Amino acid sequence: MAVLVVSEYGQITCGEKFKPENRVVTESQHRALEKFSEEYKRRFKVTVFRHGPKRSLFAQNYVGVISLGQHQVEILPKIDKDLKLGDDVSQVRHNLARMISVAFDLDIYGDEESNVARHDDSILEIFIRLFCKKLWQCVRRGMVRRYVGCRENLPTLRGRLSITDQIRHNLARPDRLACIFDEFSDNNALNQALKAALRILIKAARSQRNLRDISELMFCFQDVDDVPPNAIDWVQAGTNRLSARYKPVLALARMFIERQSPDVVSGNGNGFSLLFDMNQLFELYVGAMAKRAFSRDDLKVSLQGPIRHLAHNSGGGLAFKLKPDIVASTQHGVAFIIDTKWKRLDEQFHRDGVSSGDMYQMFAYAKQYAAPKVFLLYPHHDKLGERQSRRAEYKLNMTEMNGMDQKICISSVDLRDLNTVKQQLRDLISFSVTT
């Protein structure tokens, strides 16, 4: 297996041979990526690749892995700088894996797992390896067994008799009884979900180590029914006190099952693609880290709300919904708002390239939520120089707030060392919480 690695907005060219080290794909692989992008846009209304000059393709803001038969195309986030050919991308993969784990509450990728990102495998292979490792740990402590409702025709009564089924099926069979009973079984919704994920991953994995682990795990689930991914009952599959150790692997299994992209590349049903919108991932990650950073009694952190509206229409109904990424409140009201933007600030442009539209949006937040401070938070990169808690600050011209000073602050967060993000967020707002 070979992995072609490209960063967001990076270029893939078309040539005679597959040369991942030069980001070159073959004619057939180029067509497959075009077809994939078209199908992805048809289904999800977003663009994964845009066409460039000389039959090149430019990745957009979706990161992850797309399978090309035995090879993979891996798109990594532009966290700091453009990836150059030959660059070591292990740290970028490591950071991406941790961001995904935190953003989607997987609780499966900690600091102790950083060594898995020191290989040449793609981010997909890393997550498959983590999934297998954690699932092995759970299975060795015992498969989850639960009481499952069963309906069977038996020669003797077990449980209770179903009168309806007896009349419908056994009217001419007095030697058979339509029984309804509970059976303590491995064949339950949780194990069915895990087996469905293994079925998907055995087609997606390219690493021999991962394929071996998946095959051996499949043997452990041999008595569990195969359930189509779209028929999984996630409510019934949920963990409880007795099966809490399965919560991380179940969350990761659900990610594999629900976030897989349309298989239009391989043509033989063995393709698999796993992509993440970096706008959403950045927002979810910062939101989750904000909850950790500000988890204190006098500060309540809400994500994606509370929802308010900017205006009323002519009929008196609410119009223009407002839904900030992060709202922090004290008992006296909103303390501050943080809104994330996965865009690169650029010192060459006026006001670092912050758009008027984004500022108008922050103005609406400040007014409708009576927020003293609203932060526009961007990813930091080297060209911005040394990171500062506030790159710029703008005082709003508003007189309705009883003399309250309201400000919009332009800030950035450095994602190269994720161990520092919590403290960066604390430093960001340390001056803005009022009681």
Side-chain angles (χ1 to χ4, degrees):
M1 178 194 74
V3 181
L4 186 157
V5 181
V6 64
S7 65
E8 288 177 279
Y9 307 105
Q11 184 181 31
I12 298 174
T13 57
C14 183
E16 294 183 1
K17 295 182 179 180
F18 180 66
K19 297 180 180 179
E21 67 279 4
N22 296 323
R23 295 175 189 153
V24 176
V25 294
T26 65
E27 181 79 26
S28 61
Q29 290 171 332
H30 183 273
R31 287 196 302 269
L33 290 175
E34 285 183 316
K35 185 179 178 183
F36 174 86
S37 187
E38 291 168 2
E39 179 66 11
Y40 205 92
K41 185 173 183 178
R42 186 185 70 81
R43 294 192 185 186
F44 305 114
K45 313 303 180 188
V46 294
T47 301
V48 178
F49 293 104
R50 291 193 183 278
H51 287 90
K54 299 181 180 178
R55 305 195 64 224
S56 61
L57 295 172
F58 283 87
Q60 299 302 295
N61 60 295
Y62 280 76
V63 299
V65 171
I66 302 168
S67 294
L68 287 174
Q70 290 301 310
H71 305 304
Q72 295 176 342
V73 170
E74 181 180 34
I75 307 170
L76 294 177
K78 191 187 290 186
I79 289 176
D80 178 32
K81 59 184 180 180
D82 292 330
L83 294 177
K84 301 294 191 298
L85 295 176
D87 280 354
D88 180 8
V89 298
S90 59
Q91 187 60 42
V92 179
R93 285 178 177 142
H94 172 44
N95 285 349
L96 177 59
R98 288 184 63 187
M99 288 179 68
I100 293 170
S101 178
V102 171
F104 294 96
D105 195 24
L106 299 179
D107 191 26
I108 201 169
Y109 195 94
D111 293 338
E112 72 279 1
E113 304 293 352
S114 61
N115 62 315
V116 301
R118 306 299 178 182
H119 300 77
D120 293 332
D121 290 337
S122 68
I123 188 71
L124 173 60
E125 299 294 334
I126 290 171
F127 269 112
I128 293 175
R129 186 178 306 154
L130 283 169
F131 177 73
C132 292
K133 176 182 176 181
K134 299 293 185 181
L135 186 53
W136 268 126
Q137 292 173 355
C138 292
V139 168
R140 287 185 179 119
R141 292 178 57 187
M143 294 276 289
V144 171
R145 303 186 72 196
R146 291 175 176 173
Y147 283 103
V148 178
C150 300
R151 308 173 78 100
E152 288 187 29
N153 282 330
L154 300 174
T156 58
L157 182 64
R158 181 178 180 184
R160 60 188 176 86
L161 183 68
S162 171
I163 303 299
T164 302
D165 289 348
Q166 185 70 19
I167 294 173
R168 182 179 301 164
H169 302 296
N170 298 333
L171 196 58
R173 294 289 307 274
D175 60 321
R176 290 287 168 177
L177 299 174
C179 301
I180 301 177
F181 58 93
D182 291 333
E183 185 174 58
F184 201 51
S185 171
D186 295 343
N187 189 23
N188 53 65
L190 188 151
N191 287 332
Q192 290 167 1
L194 294 173
K195 187 175 183 179
L198 289 170
R199 286 284 186 199
I200 290 173
L201 295 181
I202 203 166
K203 298 178 181 179
R206 295 294 177 265
S207 160
Q208 291 301 312
R209 173 181 170 182
N210 284 343
L211 287 169
R212 183 181 66 250
D213 280 343
I214 295 168
S215 298
E216 292 174 356
L217 282 164
M218 287 287 290
F219 182 77
C220 300
F221 289 81
Q222 61 181 332
D223 295 328
V224 177
D225 288 346
D226 288 308
V227 176
N230 59 0
I232 294 172
D233 187 334
W234 291 107
V235 174
Q236 291 297 318
T239 57
N240 54 30
R241 181 178 58 85
L242 297 176
S243 57
R245 67 185 185 278
Y246 276 85
K247 184 177 179 181
V249 289
L250 182 64
L252 193 50
R254 187 166 188 171
M255 185 188 78
F256 286 133
I257 291 170
E258 293 190 341
R259 297 187 68 86
Q260 62 176 319
S261 306
D263 173 21
V264 297
V265 174
S266 66
N268 57 11
N270 291 325
F272 180 86
S273 302
L274 185 70
L275 296 176
F276 299 87
D277 181 349
M278 274 307 302
N279 295 305
Q280 181 194 43
L281 182 59
F282 183 51
E283 172 192 321
L284 291 175
Y285 173 73
V286 173
M289 293 304 295
K291 281 201 161 186
R292 299 181 185 185
F294 310 136
S295 57
R296 36 193 261 190
D297 294 338
D298 60 340
L299 196 58
K300 178 184 176 182
V301 176
S302 301
L303 306 183
Q304 289 292 300
I307 295 174
R308 296 185 184 175
H309 291 78
L310 184 62
H312 291 81
N313 59 31
S314 57
L318 296 171
F320 302 107
K321 182 167 63 177
L322 300 175
K323 192 169 62 172
D325 294 340
I326 304 164
V327 177
S329 306
T330 67
Q331 59 181 333
H332 303 285
V334 172
F336 61 88
I337 291 174
I338 299 176
D339 211 66
T340 61
K341 302 293 180 185
W342 184 254
K343 302 175 183 177
R344 288 171 71 86
L345 295 174
D346 193 335
E347 288 185 312
Q348 296 183 10
F349 291 94
H350 184 48
R351 292 190 290 267
D352 288 345
V354 176
S355 72
S356 298
D358 287 341
M359 291 296 288
Y360 297 152
Q361 182 185 12
M362 298 308 107
F363 176 86
Y365 288 163
K367 182 177 187 302
Q368 294 303 104
Y369 289 82
K373 287 184 173 63
V374 179
F375 294 88
L376 263 174
L377 189 63
Y378 296 84
H380 190 76
H381 56 89
D382 275 347
K383 291 182 180 179
L384 296 177
E386 185 178 353
R387 193 195 72 84
Q388 303 172 358
S389 293
R390 289 176 293 174
R391 290 190 59 79
E393 185 175 275
Y394 302 94
K395 184 177 179 180
L396 299 181
N397 296 323
M398 297 172 65
T399 59
E400 301 89 353
M401 300 307 301
N402 298 321
M404 177 193 298
D405 284 340
Q406 291 182 279
K407 297 178 180 179
I408 298 176
C409 304
I410 310 301
S411 306
S412 63
V413 58
D414 194 334
L415 299 174
R416 289 172 296 184
D417 184 358
L418 299 185
N419 293 324
T420 67
V421 170
K422 187 187 296 186
Q423 187 59 48
Q424 288 182 61
L425 292 176
R426 288 197 184 107
D427 295 342
L428 179 70
I429 58 88
S430 59
F431 56 87
S432 39
V433 177
T434 58
T435 57

